[in-house]
Amino acid sequence: MRPEGSTLAVLGAGTMGRGIARAAATAGMRVVLYDVDRAAADRVAQALDGAGTVGAGTVAADVAGAVRDADVVLECVPEILAVKIATLAEAHRHARPAALLGTNTSTMSIAALAAAAGCPGRLLGLHFFNPAEKMRLVEVVRAPDTPPAEVRRGEAFARALGKTPIVVLDAPGFVTSRLGLALGNEAMLVLQSGIASASAIDAAMRLGFNHPMGPLELADLVGLDARLNNLRTLHEARREDRFAPPQVLVDLVAANQLGLKTGAGFYRYDEQRTQLGEAPLPGGAA
Ligand SMILES: NC(=O)c1ccc[n+]([C@@H]2O[C@H](COP(=O)([O-])OP(=O)(O)OC[C@H]3O[C@@H](n4cnc5c(N)ncnc54)[C@H](O)[C@@H]3O)[C@@H](O)[C@H]2O)c1
């Protein structure tokens, strides 16, 4: 696809919607944003202007208004089943039949979401990574009944944004969330067992395995509430103990210590998002 002159509707202007909107605008697409929190969508649209793409981002008052003229619709609402289904059903109802309909879900079955939203065969997983304007991968997830042409359109959309797509079959957690969440959980279990500090665990993976970030600092970047939602969904779907949310994560979220977005998670951060050292853990875990 040619990004210039094409329109992307982004439903949910949070961490991922913001980054994807930026990647699309940088590639030359027009972006229409919708968020239940109007101010969140306004902030993203303004940031697109600030990035030198004046007029690239506009804000719609509802899902229908956002998707009406879109060539690609990408759902980026929180990883909560009922919210995803309601948003996708509305998007399917109001988007042009020719529009590509994608979801950025990290863990949910694409086929199950599509069936519940009344659009079997239409929905494609387009799983971006955080920060979406920088990360090069898009995991394109096809359900058994996804037409091959839709898969190719999804790959073309990813390439138009300068990303590299991989195509995988629909299964809870796909490839990347299974691998990433399993590693993150093991890191949290090590932390809560008191074997090592957060910074030692992160240094182990950065320096010993050449990961660009450690698993706990990555969890802070993702958002610990988002991580907990992902784990709950994946654990429910796969029924495998390794995806059960570790207690330290449950406690951090209960204490509203959500990572970078609240200024503290496993680490503390200043307003410039600079890491200030380890944060005290609620309940004295570790
Ligand atoms: N955060 C990550 O690192 C990451 C990475 C890959 C994929 N994902 C997936 O991307 C999706 C979004 O995650 P996020 O981290 O951006 O979440 P987020 O909480 O940062 O943002 C979600 C946004 O959706 C809005 N919203 C809530 N209900 C809505 C509704 N009914 N209609 C429209 N907007 C609504 C919220 O106001 C918020 O701005 C999830 O499915 C998540 O699993 C997240």
Side-chain angles (χ1 to χ4, degrees), residues 36-240:
V36 277
D37 176 1
R38 167 91 194 203
D42 284 340
R43 275 195 301 275
V44 174
Q46 279 158 18
L48 294 183
D49 280 356
T53 42
V54 177
T58 53
V59 174
D62 51 23
V63 172
V67 305
R68 192 165 292 129
D69 297 320
D71 301 289
V72 181
V73 175
L74 191 49
E75 170 277 302
C76 299
V77 300
E79 195 79 348
I80 299 169
L81 188 61
V83 181
K84 294 263 188 221
I85 292 171
T87 305
L88 287 167
E90 191 74 353
H92 169 58
R93 194 170 314 126
H94 294 284
R96 293 184 296 128
L100 179 66
L101 182 61
T103 170
N104 193 40
T105 180
S106 304
T107 54
M108 293 177 188
S109 157
I110 304 303
L113 269 180
C119 54
R122 184 178 190 188
L123 185 64
L124 197 62
L126 291 170
H127 186 204
F128 284 74
F129 293 79
N130 186 6
E133 64 272 34
K134 289 199 185 136
M135 300 302 277
R136 290 172 295 165
L137 182 68
V138 175
E139 193 175 29
V140 177
V141 187
R142 65 177 178 90
D145 57 355
T146 310
E150 286 299 281
V151 177
R152 285 195 294 276
R153 287 175 78 199
E155 291 180 276
F157 170 63
R159 287 199 190 94
L161 267 53
K163 312 294 183 193
T164 300
I166 57 164
V167 178
V168 309
L169 196 55
D170 190 19
F174 324 127
V175 172
T176 54
S177 296
R178 278 172 73 174
L179 295 172
L181 293 179
L183 175 63
N185 264 16
E186 205 57 33
M188 292 178 209
L189 293 173
V190 168
L191 178 70
Q192 75 184 30
S193 70
I195 296 171
S197 65
S199 46
I201 294 165
D202 282 337
M205 297 315 292
R206 267 192 274 105
L207 306 180
F209 291 81
N210 234 2
H211 288 199
M213 293 181 82
L216 299 174
E217 47 196 1
L218 178 60
D220 272 0
L221 172 71
V222 166
L224 301 188
D225 51 345
R227 173 61 63 94
L228 183 58
N229 282 338
N230 288 346
L231 282 167
R232 286 191 169 138
T233 309
L234 194 58
H235 187 224
E236 200 165 297
R238 302 197 68 88
R239 304 256 168 229
E240 291 161 341

